[in-house]
């Protein structure tokens, strides 16, 4: 708790605030004086007004709720699926031998390129969006689960064998508790990805949510509103990550790297 | 990766043969891993309906790609995407190393700029694409800008942490040898920072590819992304699947090339 306090103090130091303020004022002055050659660059006050208006009308809130709901749904599916695939890869040699390289080949496929395929199969729907999110965010969970399973101390498995634990008991009492922390590290990376990919899928696949709002604001030539969406998306990312970091620190107090990263 | 320390233990005479055996075993296990994918594609080819609107069989993908190539679209598109990704990666590396080095070296600068940069970093890179399209306009410059914006952060962050973890002895050695600024940068900083910088570039490369494809999809600038989106809009499933495999190979080759470059560049340091 104290380290968190110190962190936030460190982030909000006076010189940083002053720098950000100077940058914003310079931006405002530059636009007011028409010193920039970009005709659609809005002043920070204009962005603030547009954002405030969009919040008052509830438009940006509804869009955020849609994006976050899709990201969370896709993330939950990806976490469970990734943990299952990771465990299978780590503990079933057959699965590893026959599916390892195929998965390695699919992994670097850019998620954006997957959107047109999903649109072709599912149309411009929520299913498309969630499929793409799952496809993109399942990888870090798999990779981290496999790494965690590889790092289990052999003595733990020996103990399980000595105690004559059955397969399900061994899975529930030894393997899962030992692997879960690293799966969770992967899940945290996956949540950040899920949000980004949700926005991407909304831009080119499912016409709803923040991504679509951003694109429509651009096409309607409303730069203030567009920047408002940008700020909202950034803020949402920070908020989700902070929530996740807090709840993980509470759930797994023993993992230090989580608090550091 | 391929030949580990097994050949080192072997007698000198049997070394070459054992390495060959080792490579063959590796190739076989890789092939085994690919079996389900190959089997899936073969089954798809054998049982699938070539005229299916959703799952056309793999041979139709090849035909669609050949049509695109003979229409003169595919090769320029691949080259356009590759050119943007490569140029943007070089720019992002130069910028990221410069800014990251300054921030890592100066705590005052880090305190001032840190939070602003932190906020910019949390903006999902794809959201920059429509913004840049409106403000800069739809042209090559805008595409480069968005890719650099996405690829900058991993390089910058890695360089910053690399500078912070430089061993003080290195800096003291530079001082006691009376090295000039140029010599200090080329002889001390760059070699010491190379591993962190290259790690950053490898993280940045897939991001650069994603943002480049998205920019092409949203603005229909020439490139692989635009081709994919047009194929989807024309409900040409065979072409979509074909282009998807091209994109996959594209990403795979760029990643493999960067990995090879990394191990080549780090070889003198024995860290490959």
């Amino acid at each position: 708790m104290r380290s968190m306090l110190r962190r936030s103090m460190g982030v909000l130091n006076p010189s940083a605030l002053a720098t950000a303020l100077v940058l914003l004022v310079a931006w405002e002055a530059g636009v007011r004086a028409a010193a920039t050659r970009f005709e659609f660059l809005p002043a920070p006050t204009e962005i603030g007004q547009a954002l405030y208006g969009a919040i008052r009308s509830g438009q940006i809130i509804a869009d955020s709720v849609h994006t976050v709901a899709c990201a969370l749904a896709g993330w939950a599916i990806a976490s469970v699926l990734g943990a299952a695939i990771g465990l299978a890869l780590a503990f079933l040699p057959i699965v590893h031998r026959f599916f390892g390289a195929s998965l390695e080949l699919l992994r670097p496929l850019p998620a954006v390129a997957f959107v047109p395929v999903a649109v072709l199969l599912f149309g411009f729907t929520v299913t498309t969006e969630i499929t793409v999110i799952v496809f993109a965010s399942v990888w870090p969970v798999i990779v981290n689960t496999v790494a965690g399973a590889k790092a289990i101390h052999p003595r733990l498995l020996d103990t399980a064998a000595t105690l004559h634990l059955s397969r399900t008991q061994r899975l529930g009492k030894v393997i899962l508790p030992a692997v879960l922390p690293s799966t969770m590290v992967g899940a945290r990376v996956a949540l950040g990805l899920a949000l980004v990919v949700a926005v991407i899928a909304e831009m080119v696949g499912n016409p709803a949510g923040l991504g679509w709002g951003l694109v429509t604001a651009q096409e309607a030539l409303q730069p203030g509103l567009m920047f408002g969406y940008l700020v909202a998306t950034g803020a949402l990312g920070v908020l989700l990550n902070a929530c996740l970091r807090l709840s993980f620190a509470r759930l797994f107090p023993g993992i230090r790297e989580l608090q550091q990263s | 990766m391929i030949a580990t320390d097994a050949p080192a233990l072997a007698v000198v005479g049997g070394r070459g043969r054992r390495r060959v055996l080792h490579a063959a075993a590796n190739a076989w296990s890789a092939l085994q891993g690919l079996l389900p994918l190959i089997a899936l594609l073969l089954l798809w080819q054998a049982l699938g309906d070539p005229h299916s609107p959703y799952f056309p069989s793999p041979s139709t993908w090849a035909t669609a790609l050949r049509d695109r190539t003979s229409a003169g679209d595919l090769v320029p598109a691949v080259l356009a995407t590759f050119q943007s990704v490569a140029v943007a990666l070089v720019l992002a590396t130069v910028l990221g190393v410069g800014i990251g080095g300054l921030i890592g070296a100066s705590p005052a600068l880090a305190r001032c700029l840190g939070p602003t940069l932190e906020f910019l970093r949390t903006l999902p890179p794809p959201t920059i694409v429509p913004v840049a399209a409106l403000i800069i306009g739809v042209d090559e410059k805008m595409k480069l800008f968005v890719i650099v914006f996405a690829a900058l952060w991993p390089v910058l962050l890695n360089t910053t942490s690399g500078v912070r973890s430089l061993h003080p002895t290195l800096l003291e050695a530079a001082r006691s040898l009376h090295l000039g600024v140029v010599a200090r940068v080329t002889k001390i900083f760059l070699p010491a920072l190379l591993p962190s910088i290259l790690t950053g570039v490898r993280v940045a490369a897939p991001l650069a590819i994603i943002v480049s494809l998205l920019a092409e999809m949203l603005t229909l600038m020439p490139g692989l992304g635009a081709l994919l989106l047009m194929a989807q809009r024309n409900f040409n499933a065979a072409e979509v699947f074909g282009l998807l495999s091209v994109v996959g190979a594209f990403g795979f080759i760029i990643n493999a090339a960067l990995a090879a470059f990394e191990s080549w560049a780090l070889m003198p340091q024995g860290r490959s």
Side-chain angles (χ1 to χ4, degrees):
Chain A
M1 208 56 208
R2 186 184 288 167
S3 74
M4 272 205 48
L5 209 71
R6 207 181 308 144
R7 267 180 79 102
S8 49
M9 290 292 284
V11 168
L12 295 174
N13 63 59
S15 48
L17 276 178
T19 314
L21 217 63
V22 167
L23 286 176
L24 280 178
V25 169
W27 181 354
E28 179 88 35
V31 174
R32 288 268 168 99
T36 66
R37 46 191 195 81
F38 302 116
E39 60 178 310
F40 286 114
L41 189 69
T45 44
E46 202 184 325
I47 299 172
Q49 277 165 3
L51 187 61
Y52 181 67
I55 292 175
R56 290 265 329 248
S57 73
Q59 172 196 358
I60 216 166
I61 308 261
D63 285 345
S64 306
V65 168
H66 178 270
T67 302
V68 170
C70 282
L72 282 180
W75 173 69
I77 299 174
S79 299
V80 175
L81 199 69
I85 296 179
L87 282 178
L89 275 176
F91 288 105
L92 301 176
I94 297 184
V95 175
H96 178 75
R97 190 181 320 145
F98 286 111
F99 288 92
S102 303
L103 286 176
E104 250 349 276
L105 209 62
L106 284 178
R107 188 152 75 103
L109 209 58
V112 207
F114 200 65
V115 179
V117 179
V119 167
L120 211 59
L121 300 184
F122 306 114
F124 295 97
T125 59
V126 181
T127 323
T128 295
E129 192 179 343
I130 292 185
T131 314
V132 176
I133 295 173
V134 171
F135 175 81
S137 51
V138 78
W139 303 111
V141 187
I142 296 182
V143 170
N144 276 283
T145 306
V146 171
K150 291 259 162 71
I152 292 184
H153 200 285
R155 202 170 294 155
L156 269 178
L157 298 176
D158 290 346
T159 314
T162 318
L163 292 173
H164 290 292
L165 294 185
S166 71
R167 263 186 108 84
T168 37
Q169 275 176 323
R170 201 174 54 162
L171 187 68
K173 293 196 172 157
V174 178
I175 293 176
L176 275 186
V179 172
L180 209 56
S182 36
T183 305
M184 283 300 169
V185 174
R188 222 191 90 187
V189 177
L191 184 62
L193 263 178
L195 190 70
V196 173
V197 175
V199 174
I200 293 184
E202 285 162 1
M203 283 180 181
V204 276
N206 179 25
L210 287 173
W212 183 243
L214 196 67
V215 173
T216 36
Q218 177 224 333
E219 283 168 357
L221 301 184
Q222 292 177 300
L225 185 62
M226 181 180 71
F227 268 91
Y229 270 104
L230 194 67
V231 173
T233 314
L236 215 60
V238 175
L239 204 69
L240 267 183
N241 203 16
C243 285
L244 212 61
R245 185 183 313 200
L246 257 182
S247 51
F248 278 6
R250 182 74 41 93
L251 282 172
F252 303 103
I255 310 176
R256 279 194 52 220
E257 70 214 322
L258 269 183
Q259 285 152 1
Q260 280 171 357
S261 61
Chain B
M1 213 31 196
I2 293 173
T4 47
D5 32 2
L9 297 172
V11 210
V12 184
R15 211 168 169 175
R17 221 186 64 188
R18 193 164 293 200
R19 187 169 288 173
V20 169
L21 279 178
H22 203 84
N26 261 308
W28 169 236
S29 71
L31 197 66
Q32 262 186 337
L34 290 178
L35 269 182
L37 204 64
I38 296 169
L40 179 77
L41 288 180
L42 284 180
L43 271 180
W44 192 342
Q45 177 64 37
L47 304 176
D49 169 15
H51 305 294
S52 156
Y54 301 115
F55 294 106
S57 44
S59 64
T60 61
W61 310 355
T63 323
L65 282 184
R66 234 185 351 257
D67 290 351
R68 274 275 144 250
T69 318
S70 54
D73 291 345
L74 187 62
V75 178
V78 172
L79 286 182
T81 306
F82 176 75
Q83 191 194 343
S84 327
V85 169
V87 173
L89 271 181
V90 171
L91 280 177
T93 309
V94 172
L95 275 177
V97 169
I99 304 176
L102 285 180
I103 289 180
S106 148
L109 200 63
R111 250 207 329 277
C112 287
L113 279 180
T116 307
L117 288 180
E118 192 69 21
F119 177 74
L120 284 179
R121 187 175 74 87
T122 49
L123 286 179
T127 54
I128 302 298
V129 178
V131 176
L134 184 59
I135 289 177
I136 307 182
V138 176
D139 55 10
E140 283 298 318
K141 235 175 12 197
M142 162 264 173
K143 197 167 147 198
L144 271 185
F145 173 79
V146 290
I147 307 176
V148 169
F149 186 88
L152 178 65
W153 308 112
V155 184
L156 196 155
L157 287 178
N158 270 292
T159 309
T160 307
S161 69
V163 170
R164 285 198 185 135
S165 60
L166 276 185
H167 203 283
T169 319
L170 267 179
L171 306 179
E172 282 159 17
R175 199 173 308 143
S176 51
L177 288 173
H178 293 291
L179 291 182
V181 178
V182 179
R184 220 179 271 197
V185 168
T186 55
K187 295 200 169 145
I188 306 273
F189 288 119
L190 280 185
L193 291 178
L194 202 59
S196 345
I197 296 172
L198 288 178
T199 310
V201 174
R202 279 190 65 189
V203 176
L207 269 175
I209 296 176
I210 289 185
V211 173
S212 153
L213 288 176
L214 186 74
E216 288 157 7
M217 283 184 183
L218 284 176
T219 61
L220 292 183
M221 259 188 285
L224 273 173
L227 272 190
L228 247 178
L229 200 73
M230 292 315 287
Q232 176 229 309
R233 286 197 182 153
N234 295 334
F235 293 100
N236 190 341
E239 199 179 316
V240 170
F241 277 107
L243 287 172
L244 186 69
S245 43
V246 171
V247 169
F250 183 81
F252 190 81
I253 290 172
I254 286 190
N255 285 339
L258 278 178
F261 176 73
E262 188 180 359
S263 60
W264 173 78
L266 296 186
M267 211 146 52
Q269 306 189 7
R271 285 194 242 197
S272 58

